[in-house]
Amino acid sequence: MRVLLTSFALASHYNCLVPLGWALAAAGHEVRVASQPSLTDAITASGLTAVPVGTDPELEEVRERPAAAMGPPQVHEDRDEPVTWEQALDFDMVIAPLLLAAINNTAMVDELVGFARQWRPDLVIWEPFTLAGAIAAEACGAVHARVMWGLDVLGSARRTFLDLRAEQPRAHWEDPVGEWLTLTLARYSRPFTEEVTTGRLTIDTTMPSSLRLPVGVPVVGMRTLPYNGRSVMPDWLAEAPRRPRVCFTLGGTGGDFLHDWALGPAELVRAAAELDVEVVATLDAEQRARLGEVPDNVRIVDFVPMNLLMPTCAAVVHHGGAGTFSAALLNGVPQLMVANTWDTPVKAKRLADYGAGIYIPPPKLDAGGFRDAVATLVHEPGPRAAADRLRQEMLTEPTPAELVPRLERLVAMGRAGESGDDPGAIRDLGVAEPALGRPGG
């Protein structure tokens, strides 16, 4: 079987695909990874074969546009009131040009389709922003599936949009995302169907079922195997910590979203250091300079692999990044999330409601409250017990190797012309039945 993995050029999104790519290759399947050229080194560093497609500049340009300066739009589940038609339409009008069309630029889609039609993959697996993967699969007749690295807020937004649009007069049935996909697929003489937005199957690599959104699509879980790129274990990690260890990290992308933080990373690290804990903090040069003299119980590092650090931690403080979030879940570590973008506030709220963490909106940060929250996670038994329940739930999910036979059956079903929406076929694959109902309302 030939399998094509696709991600746009952001390593934190690509990393969630790597363990499944390894498992498919180890099972004897041919695996290729297509992305824009700037991700090539990250792909080859993971041991998989890269296929550079398209260009990077359009993605860089969109980050400079004034409309994108404050980050992605507010997702529906982050609202306190039911979503209105106007809000659903506004969301699609933003993400269609500023997110989806920018990431999946014309050069990338054209070259990816060209490669897919030449190489003829049996299965295309794509991360949820890289709809170019779904388009290429449709263009070459391959089965395709999404791999989630966070909450399915795009799938939720799509269902909410369609439900609300059905209540409007037909004269106002705008569909920015659907229209963009329709025009793009028409270049390859293919029609738009809703399967393009979700794939035949959704593979959730980071969320235990207790925290997932009820989007109404077939979902199979996959046990998280944290991958952080090329790394070396530091000597100090071989020694057991003498105090409860607290990790403070903004991951690879969190530093881009500090615009509304009432306190900066240096001030928060200083506040945590007032406790009888060991703080391991990843700070850049500017943040380190603002910290001034480093307290004796603080270790500043440029990078440390989360899969190695997290088993030694009593708590973790972060912005909600997928890699840190899933590594903490897998190791039963309570989380303090200072989250303000895309799905991260929703993840933080759901984790806090479950009892396995604390959520602090960035504008509400103050040193005393932050310090007390860290102390609660480190010393109170409740958050640790809840985090351990989520860990046990994640451990029941199939490993990437165990998921491979299900993907083989999915492809066989596709070749036989069977629908991924057939309930019997869904049960045969061992996936969750679709949960219905309007999310985000």
Side-chain angles (χ1 to χ4, degrees):
M1 183 167 78
R2 289 183 170 182
V3 184
L4 177 62
L5 308 181
T6 62
S7 171
F8 79 103
L10 189 63
S12 59
H13 287 226
Y14 166 64
N15 288 347
C16 73
L17 298 172
V18 172
L20 185 54
W22 288 341
L24 287 159
H29 299 297
E30 295 183 68
V31 178
R32 301 287 184 270
V33 183
S35 182
Q36 291 135 329
S38 63
L39 196 67
T40 298
D41 287 347
I43 296 169
T44 56
S46 72
L48 297 174
T49 301
V51 179
V53 291
T55 57
D56 294 300
E58 289 187 49
L59 179 59
E60 295 301 320
E61 290 169 8
V62 75
R63 292 173 177 166
E64 303 300 323
R65 295 176 189 173
M70 298 300 287
Q74 183 182 30
V75 301
H76 297 336
E77 286 77 14
D78 195 25
R79 298 183 183 277
D80 295 328
E81 301 296 329
V83 180
T84 66
W85 163 242
E86 289 75 17
Q87 290 168 336
L89 181 58
D90 286 348
F91 181 86
D92 272 31
M93 291 179 69
V94 171
I95 65 166
L98 290 182
L99 179 65
L100 300 179
I103 287 172
N104 304 275
N105 60 59
T106 299
M108 179 197 185
V109 177
D110 282 347
E111 291 187 25
L112 183 59
V113 169
F115 173 75
R117 283 180 163 173
Q118 177 269 323
W119 193 57
R120 308 299 297 182
D122 302 288
L123 175 64
V124 178
I125 297 175
W126 46 282
E127 69 84 34
F129 284 3
T130 312
L131 285 166
I135 294 165
E138 295 288 331
C140 73
V143 175
H144 60 100
R146 290 187 304 165
V147 171
M148 304 302 302
W149 42 258
L151 291 171
D152 192 3
V153 292
L154 281 178
S156 169
R158 186 64 185 169
R159 176 171 288 277
T160 299
F161 176 86
L162 293 175
D163 286 350
L164 290 172
R165 191 185 68 162
E167 301 170 1
Q168 311 307 312
R170 279 190 172 270
H172 299 290
W173 271 31
E174 300 95 333
D175 185 0
V177 171
E179 290 164 8
W180 169 68
L181 285 169
T182 297
L183 290 172
T184 303
L185 284 158
R187 297 209 302 267
Y188 319 110
S189 302
R190 292 294 188 271
F192 166 65
T193 66
E194 285 300 320
E195 188 173 291
V196 177
T197 67
T198 60
R200 178 73 59 89
L201 178 68
T202 294
I203 304 166
D204 198 320
T205 68
T206 60
M207 290 289 165
S209 57
S210 296
L211 300 182
R212 292 176 195 154
L213 298 177
V215 175
V217 297
V219 178
V220 61
M222 186 185 86
R223 188 181 308 174
T224 293
L225 294 181
Y227 171 74
N228 305 119
R230 186 184 286 125
S231 58
V232 176
M233 180 174 176
D235 292 340
W236 57 267
L237 256 182
E239 302 177 6
R242 298 178 182 178
R243 306 176 182 180
R245 178 173 284 163
V246 176
C247 169
F248 182 98
T249 180
L250 297 179
T253 59
D256 296 335
F257 301 106
L258 297 176
H259 55 81
D260 64 346
W261 286 41
L263 294 176
E267 290 81 3
L268 298 180
V269 169
R270 192 178 301 115
E274 295 175 6
L275 300 170
D276 185 22
V277 299
E278 174 196 344
V279 179
V280 177
T282 59
L283 300 179
D284 62 27
E286 180 182 349
Q287 294 159 358
R288 189 177 307 192
R290 292 193 62 177
L291 182 62
E293 184 177 351
V294 179
D296 292 339
N297 61 335
V298 173
R299 184 187 300 272
I300 305 297
V301 295
D302 293 321
F303 167 79
V304 61
M306 286 295 112
N307 59 317
L308 302 181
L309 176 62
M310 207 56 62
T312 73
C313 290
V316 58
V317 179
H318 65 112
H319 73 295
T324 306
F325 181 81
S326 59
L329 285 177
L330 185 65
N331 289 281
V333 179
Q335 306 180 49
L336 172 52
M337 295 174 64
V338 184
N340 67 342
T341 187
W342 200 241
D343 69 332
T344 60
V346 185
K347 286 194 297 189
K349 292 173 188 176
R350 294 174 83 83
L351 191 72
D353 289 344
Y354 193 89
I358 295 174
Y359 166 50
I360 301 180
K364 296 185 178 180
L365 281 168
D366 71 84
F370 175 82
R371 183 182 60 248
D372 291 345
V374 173
T376 295
L377 296 185
V378 170
H379 298 298
E380 295 294 328
R384 171 67 68 168
D388 189 63
R389 290 194 298 272
L390 289 174
R391 164 181 159 78
Q392 297 304 320
E393 189 176 332
M394 293 190 79
L395 291 176
T396 65
E397 300 287 11
T399 65
E402 291 168 338
L403 190 60
V404 170
R406 304 187 190 189
L407 295 177
E408 292 169 344
R409 293 198 297 274
L410 183 72
V411 170
M413 286 165 45
R415 287 172 176 162
E418 297 179 29
S419 169
D421 295 327
D422 177 72
I426 289 172
R427 284 192 292 272
D428 288 343
L429 286 171
V431 307
E433 296 285 356
L436 301 177
R438 179 188 297 171

